[in-house]
Amino acid sequence: MTRRAAALLLGLAVLLPSLAAAAETPALTICLEENVPPLSLRRGGGSGFDLDVARAVADRLGRPLAVQWFETEADPDSSPARHLNALLADGRCDLVGGYPLTERRLEPPASPRGRLPDFAGARPEDRRRWVTLGRLIPTQPYRRDTLALVVGPAAAGLEIQHLAELRGRRLGVEERTFADAILTSYRDGMLLGEVTHVPAGPALFEGLERGETEAALVEAHRFDAWRAAHPETPLRLAAYRHPLGFNIGFVALSTAAPLVAQVDAALDALLAAGSLPRLAAATGLTYAPPQPPAIGAPIRRAMLQED
Protein backbone atom coordinates (compact mmCIF):
# COMPACT_ATOMS: atom_id res chain seq x y z
CA MET A 1 0.00 0.00 0.00
CA THR A 2 1.32 3.40 -0.96
CA ARG A 3 1.69 6.19 1.59
CA ARG A 4 -0.99 8.21 -0.25
CA ALA A 5 -3.50 5.33 -0.16
CA ALA A 6 -2.85 4.78 3.54
CA ALA A 7 -3.48 8.46 4.27
CA LEU A 8 -6.71 8.31 2.29
CA LEU A 9 -7.95 5.28 4.20
CA LEU A 10 -7.05 6.94 7.50
CA GLY A 11 -9.00 10.04 6.49
CA LEU A 12 -12.02 7.95 5.58
CA ALA A 13 -11.82 6.12 8.90
CA VAL A 14 -11.99 9.45 10.72
CA LEU A 15 -14.74 10.86 8.51
CA LEU A 16 -17.12 7.89 8.36
CA PRO A 17 -18.25 7.98 12.03
CA SER A 18 -19.16 11.65 11.74
CA LEU A 19 -21.04 11.01 8.49
CA ALA A 20 -22.90 8.13 10.12
CA ALA A 21 -23.80 10.31 13.10
CA ALA A 22 -25.11 13.04 10.79
CA ALA A 23 -27.17 10.49 8.88
CA GLU A 24 -28.70 9.30 12.15
CA THR A 25 -29.74 12.81 13.24
CA PRO A 26 -33.47 13.03 12.55
CA ALA A 27 -34.79 16.08 10.79
CA LEU A 28 -36.94 18.53 12.73
CA THR A 29 -40.10 18.63 10.62
CA ILE A 30 -42.23 21.73 10.95
CA CYS A 31 -45.63 22.31 9.33
CA LEU A 32 -45.98 25.79 7.81
CA GLU A 33 -48.76 27.40 5.81
CA GLU A 34 -47.65 27.71 2.21
CA ASN A 35 -48.91 31.14 1.15
CA VAL A 36 -48.74 33.71 3.96
CA PRO A 37 -46.00 36.19 3.01
CA PRO A 38 -43.90 37.55 4.64
CA LEU A 39 -44.39 34.81 7.26
CA SER A 40 -44.19 31.61 5.24
CA LEU A 41 -44.14 31.09 1.50
CA ARG A 42 -43.48 27.83 -0.31
CA ARG A 43 -42.87 29.38 -3.73
CA GLY A 44 -39.28 29.91 -4.82
CA GLY A 45 -37.80 27.32 -2.49
CA GLY A 46 -39.37 28.72 0.67
CA SER A 47 -39.09 32.02 2.48
CA GLY A 48 -40.58 34.04 5.33
CA PHE A 49 -40.04 34.91 8.97
CA ASP A 50 -41.71 31.82 10.45
CA LEU A 51 -39.56 29.65 8.18
CA ASP A 52 -36.39 31.49 9.22
CA VAL A 53 -37.29 31.08 12.90
CA ALA A 54 -37.89 27.36 12.31
CA ARG A 55 -34.49 27.11 10.62
CA ALA A 56 -32.79 28.96 13.49
CA VAL A 57 -34.44 26.68 16.06
CA ALA A 58 -33.39 23.56 14.14
CA ASP A 59 -29.81 24.88 14.01
CA ARG A 60 -29.85 25.43 17.79
CA LEU A 61 -31.06 21.84 18.24
CA GLY A 62 -28.38 20.50 15.90
CA ARG A 63 -30.95 18.97 13.56
CA PRO A 64 -31.62 19.45 9.86
CA LEU A 65 -34.90 21.18 9.05
CA ALA A 66 -37.67 19.68 6.94
CA VAL A 67 -40.85 21.58 6.09
CA GLN A 68 -44.29 20.11 5.54
CA TRP A 69 -46.24 22.75 3.64
CA PHE A 70 -50.01 22.88 4.04
CA GLU A 71 -52.90 25.07 2.97
CA THR A 72 -55.83 26.11 5.15
CA GLU A 73 -59.37 26.57 3.89
CA ALA A 74 -60.83 30.02 3.37
CA ASP A 75 -64.15 28.78 4.78
CA PRO A 76 -64.73 30.68 8.07
CA ASP A 77 -66.71 27.69 9.38
CA SER A 78 -63.70 25.35 9.13
CA SER A 79 -61.62 24.49 12.20
CA PRO A 80 -57.92 25.31 11.69
CA ALA A 81 -57.03 23.99 15.15
CA ARG A 82 -58.50 20.58 14.36
CA HIS A 83 -56.84 20.44 10.92
CA LEU A 84 -53.40 21.28 12.31
CA ASN A 85 -53.87 18.85 15.20
CA ALA A 86 -54.54 16.19 12.55
CA LEU A 87 -51.25 17.00 10.79
CA LEU A 88 -49.36 16.43 14.03
CA ALA A 89 -51.34 13.34 14.99
CA ASP A 90 -50.77 11.84 11.55
CA GLY A 91 -47.02 12.23 11.97
CA ARG A 92 -46.66 14.80 9.18
CA CYS A 93 -44.55 17.07 11.39
CA ASP A 94 -43.11 17.49 14.88
CA LEU A 95 -44.28 21.09 15.29
CA VAL A 96 -46.70 23.51 13.66
CA GLY A 97 -45.31 27.03 13.28
CA GLY A 98 -47.13 30.36 13.14
CA TYR A 99 -49.78 29.14 15.59
CA PRO A 100 -51.94 31.64 17.57
CA LEU A 101 -51.41 30.96 21.26
CA THR A 102 -54.90 31.47 22.66
CA GLU A 103 -56.86 29.46 25.18
CA ARG A 104 -59.47 28.68 22.57
CA ARG A 105 -56.98 27.41 19.98
CA LEU A 106 -55.31 25.23 22.63
CA GLU A 107 -58.49 23.67 24.03
CA PRO A 108 -58.79 19.87 23.82
CA PRO A 109 -60.54 19.00 20.57
CA ALA A 110 -64.32 18.79 20.85
CA SER A 111 -64.28 15.75 18.58
CA PRO A 112 -61.83 12.87 19.02
CA ARG A 113 -61.11 12.72 15.28
CA GLY A 114 -60.44 15.21 12.52
CA ARG A 115 -59.57 15.45 8.84
CA LEU A 116 -56.29 16.58 7.35
CA PRO A 117 -55.99 19.87 5.47
CA ASP A 118 -54.53 19.94 1.99
CA PHE A 119 -50.76 19.42 2.28
CA ALA A 120 -47.80 19.00 -0.04
CA GLY A 121 -47.58 15.40 -1.18
CA ALA A 122 -51.14 14.53 -0.17
CA ARG A 123 -52.95 11.78 -2.02
CA PRO A 124 -56.70 11.98 -2.76
CA GLU A 125 -57.44 9.44 -0.03
CA ASP A 126 -55.62 11.57 2.58
CA ARG A 127 -58.39 14.18 2.49
CA ARG A 128 -60.97 11.47 3.19
CA ARG A 129 -59.18 9.89 6.15
CA TRP A 130 -60.13 10.54 9.76
CA VAL A 131 -57.23 10.99 12.20
CA THR A 132 -57.38 10.44 15.96
CA LEU A 133 -56.42 13.77 17.49
CA GLY A 134 -54.17 14.55 20.46
CA ARG A 135 -53.78 17.41 22.91
CA LEU A 136 -51.82 20.46 21.78
CA ILE A 137 -49.14 22.08 23.92
CA PRO A 138 -47.41 25.38 23.05
CA THR A 139 -43.88 26.60 23.05
CA GLN A 140 -43.24 30.10 24.28
CA PRO A 141 -44.22 32.76 21.72
CA TYR A 142 -41.71 34.26 19.31
CA ARG A 143 -43.75 37.08 17.72
CA ARG A 144 -47.08 38.87 18.04
CA ASP A 145 -49.77 39.53 15.45
CA THR A 146 -51.03 43.11 15.78
CA LEU A 147 -53.82 45.14 14.20
CA ALA A 148 -52.41 48.31 12.66
CA LEU A 149 -53.76 51.43 10.99
CA VAL A 150 -52.87 51.70 7.30
CA VAL A 151 -53.28 55.17 5.84
CA GLY A 152 -54.02 56.04 2.22
CA PRO A 153 -53.10 59.18 0.24
CA ALA A 154 -56.46 60.77 1.15
CA ALA A 155 -55.24 60.99 4.77
CA ALA A 156 -51.49 60.85 4.30
CA GLY A 157 -50.53 62.60 7.53
CA LEU A 158 -53.06 60.91 9.80
CA GLU A 159 -51.77 59.69 13.18
CA ILE A 160 -54.06 58.73 16.04
CA GLN A 161 -53.88 57.56 19.62
CA HIS A 162 -57.53 56.53 19.99
CA LEU A 163 -60.04 55.09 17.55
CA ALA A 164 -62.47 57.92 18.36
CA GLU A 165 -60.18 60.19 16.35
CA LEU A 166 -61.27 58.30 13.21
CA ARG A 167 -64.78 59.71 13.44
CA GLY A 168 -65.63 61.41 10.14
CA ARG A 169 -62.99 59.43 8.24
CA ARG A 170 -63.81 56.93 5.51
CA LEU A 171 -62.66 53.58 6.91
CA GLY A 172 -62.09 50.27 5.15
CA VAL A 173 -62.27 46.86 6.81
CA GLU A 174 -62.47 43.27 5.68
CA GLU A 175 -65.79 41.69 6.55
CA ARG A 176 -66.07 39.04 9.28
CA THR A 177 -62.68 39.81 10.84
CA PHE A 178 -61.60 40.97 14.30
CA ALA A 179 -60.92 44.38 12.80
CA ASP A 180 -64.52 44.44 11.56
CA ALA A 181 -65.85 43.58 15.02
CA ILE A 182 -63.67 46.28 16.60
CA LEU A 183 -64.61 49.13 14.26
CA THR A 184 -68.33 48.34 14.12
CA SER A 185 -68.83 47.80 17.86
CA TYR A 186 -66.55 50.56 19.14
CA ARG A 187 -68.41 52.85 21.59
CA ASP A 188 -71.79 51.43 20.65
CA GLY A 189 -71.27 51.87 16.93
CA MET A 190 -69.69 55.35 16.89
CA LEU A 191 -67.74 54.49 13.72
CA LEU A 192 -70.31 52.26 12.04
CA GLY A 193 -71.40 54.94 9.55
CA GLU A 194 -67.80 55.49 8.43
CA VAL A 195 -67.04 51.82 7.71
CA THR A 196 -66.93 50.30 4.23
CA HIS A 197 -66.84 46.51 4.18
CA VAL A 198 -64.83 44.66 1.55
CA PRO A 199 -64.18 40.94 0.99
CA ALA A 200 -60.90 39.43 2.15
CA GLY A 201 -58.11 39.97 -0.34
CA PRO A 202 -56.57 42.89 -2.22
CA ALA A 203 -59.76 45.02 -2.27
CA LEU A 204 -58.91 46.66 1.07
CA PHE A 205 -55.60 48.08 -0.15
CA GLU A 206 -56.86 48.82 -3.66
CA GLY A 207 -59.69 50.94 -2.24
CA LEU A 208 -57.20 52.87 -0.10
CA GLU A 209 -54.93 53.55 -3.06
CA ARG A 210 -57.87 54.84 -5.16
CA GLY A 211 -58.94 57.16 -2.34
CA GLU A 212 -62.29 55.42 -1.80
CA THR A 213 -61.30 55.06 1.85
CA GLU A 214 -58.81 57.00 3.95
CA ALA A 215 -57.61 54.43 6.47
CA ALA A 216 -58.02 50.75 7.30
CA LEU A 217 -57.51 48.51 10.31
CA VAL A 218 -55.71 45.31 9.32
CA GLU A 219 -53.02 42.90 10.49
CA ALA A 220 -49.62 44.56 10.14
CA HIS A 221 -48.13 41.58 8.32
CA ARG A 222 -50.85 41.83 5.67
CA PHE A 223 -49.66 45.34 4.82
CA ASP A 224 -46.05 44.11 4.82
CA ALA A 225 -47.02 41.59 2.14
CA TRP A 226 -48.83 44.27 0.10
CA ARG A 227 -45.86 46.64 0.32
CA ALA A 228 -43.45 43.90 -0.79
CA ALA A 229 -45.61 43.09 -3.83
CA HIS A 230 -46.29 46.77 -4.60
CA PRO A 231 -43.11 48.70 -3.71
CA GLU A 232 -44.50 51.92 -5.27
CA THR A 233 -47.64 51.90 -3.11
CA PRO A 234 -48.62 55.29 -1.63
CA LEU A 235 -50.00 53.54 1.46
CA ARG A 236 -48.30 53.99 4.82
CA LEU A 237 -48.26 52.03 8.05
CA ALA A 238 -49.18 54.40 10.90
CA ALA A 239 -47.80 54.04 14.41
CA TYR A 240 -51.17 53.07 15.96
CA ARG A 241 -51.61 49.48 17.17
CA HIS A 242 -54.81 48.14 18.69
CA PRO A 243 -54.35 46.53 22.14
CA LEU A 244 -55.98 43.32 20.89
CA GLY A 245 -53.18 41.12 19.56
CA PHE A 246 -52.22 37.47 19.48
CA ASN A 247 -48.93 35.88 20.47
CA ILE A 248 -47.62 33.38 17.93
CA GLY A 249 -45.52 30.30 18.61
CA PHE A 250 -45.09 26.62 17.79
CA VAL A 251 -47.37 23.83 18.98
CA ALA A 252 -46.80 20.09 19.30
CA LEU A 253 -48.68 17.13 20.69
CA SER A 254 -48.45 16.64 24.45
CA THR A 255 -46.43 13.47 23.79
CA ALA A 256 -43.63 15.72 22.47
CA ALA A 257 -43.16 17.68 25.73
CA PRO A 258 -39.33 17.08 25.79
CA LEU A 259 -39.06 18.59 22.30
CA VAL A 260 -41.12 21.61 23.36
CA ALA A 261 -38.71 22.19 26.25
CA GLN A 262 -35.77 22.11 23.82
CA VAL A 263 -37.51 24.55 21.46
CA ASP A 264 -38.24 26.89 24.38
CA ALA A 265 -34.54 26.92 25.26
CA ALA A 266 -33.66 27.66 21.62
CA LEU A 267 -36.19 30.51 21.47
CA ASP A 268 -34.84 31.90 24.74
CA ALA A 269 -31.38 32.03 23.18
CA LEU A 270 -32.67 33.68 20.00
CA LEU A 271 -34.61 36.29 21.97
CA ALA A 272 -31.63 37.02 24.24
CA ALA A 273 -29.35 37.46 21.22
CA GLY A 274 -31.75 39.87 19.53
CA SER A 275 -31.94 37.55 16.53
CA LEU A 276 -35.70 37.71 15.95
CA PRO A 277 -35.97 41.43 15.03
CA ARG A 278 -33.04 40.95 12.65
CA LEU A 279 -34.71 37.98 10.98
CA ALA A 280 -37.93 39.99 10.69
CA ALA A 281 -36.15 42.93 9.05
CA ALA A 282 -34.52 40.59 6.53
CA THR A 283 -37.92 39.20 5.49
CA GLY A 284 -39.76 42.54 5.40
CA LEU A 285 -41.88 41.84 8.48
CA THR A 286 -42.81 44.64 10.89
CA TYR A 287 -41.79 42.79 14.04
CA ALA A 288 -43.80 42.96 17.26
CA PRO A 289 -42.37 41.10 20.27
CA PRO A 290 -44.59 38.79 22.34
CA GLN A 291 -46.46 40.30 25.26
CA PRO A 292 -47.68 38.69 28.49
CA PRO A 293 -49.68 36.67 29.08
CA ALA A 294 -48.13 34.11 26.74
CA ILE A 295 -51.53 32.46 26.17
CA GLY A 296 -54.31 34.86 25.23
CA ALA A 297 -57.64 34.78 27.05
CA PRO A 298 -60.93 34.36 25.15
CA ILE A 299 -62.06 37.51 23.35
CA ARG A 300 -64.74 39.41 25.30
CA ARG A 301 -66.84 42.32 24.13
CA ALA A 302 -65.04 44.69 26.49
CA MET A 303 -61.75 43.89 24.71
CA LEU A 304 -63.26 45.11 21.44
CA GLN A 305 -64.00 48.46 23.08
CA GLU A 306 -60.38 49.16 24.01
CA ASP A 307 -58.26 51.52 21.97
Side-chain angles (χ1 to χ4, degrees), residues 202-254:
L204 183 71
F205 301 117
E206 291 170 348
L208 277 170
E209 289 191 347
R210 290 192 298 264
E212 295 168 3
T213 53
E214 298 174 79
L217 192 64
V218 67
E219 295 97 329
H221 71 81
R222 290 279 312 286
F223 176 66
D224 292 334
W226 179 264
R227 181 170 49 192
H230 305 83
E232 302 302 320
T233 183
L235 306 185
R236 180 179 61 84
L237 191 66
Y240 174 82
R241 297 292 185 275
H242 192 273
L244 181 59
F246 303 94
N247 285 338
I248 304 295
F250 298 99
V251 289
L253 295 180
S254 58

Side-chain angles (χ1 to χ4, degrees), residues 39-40 72 91 93 119 131 147 160 175 192 232 234 240 259 264:
L39 302 173
S40 55
T72 56
C93 48
F119 62 90
V131 178
L147 289 168
I160 66 167
E175 56 194 5
L192 186 57
E232 302 302 320
Y240 174 82
L259 173 62
D264 278 343

Side-chain angles (χ1 to χ4, degrees), residues 140-177:
Q140 66 166 301
Y142 58 83
R143 65 174 172 88
R144 186 171 179 85
D145 266 354
T146 60
L147 289 168
L149 190 72
V150 176
V151 178
L158 178 66
E159 289 288 355
I160 66 167
Q161 292 185 322
H162 305 285
L163 291 179
E165 297 169 53
L166 294 174
R167 192 169 189 176
R169 299 281 187 174
R170 289 172 283 118
L171 308 176
V173 71
E174 290 180 329
E175 56 194 5
R176 301 183 69 179
T177 61

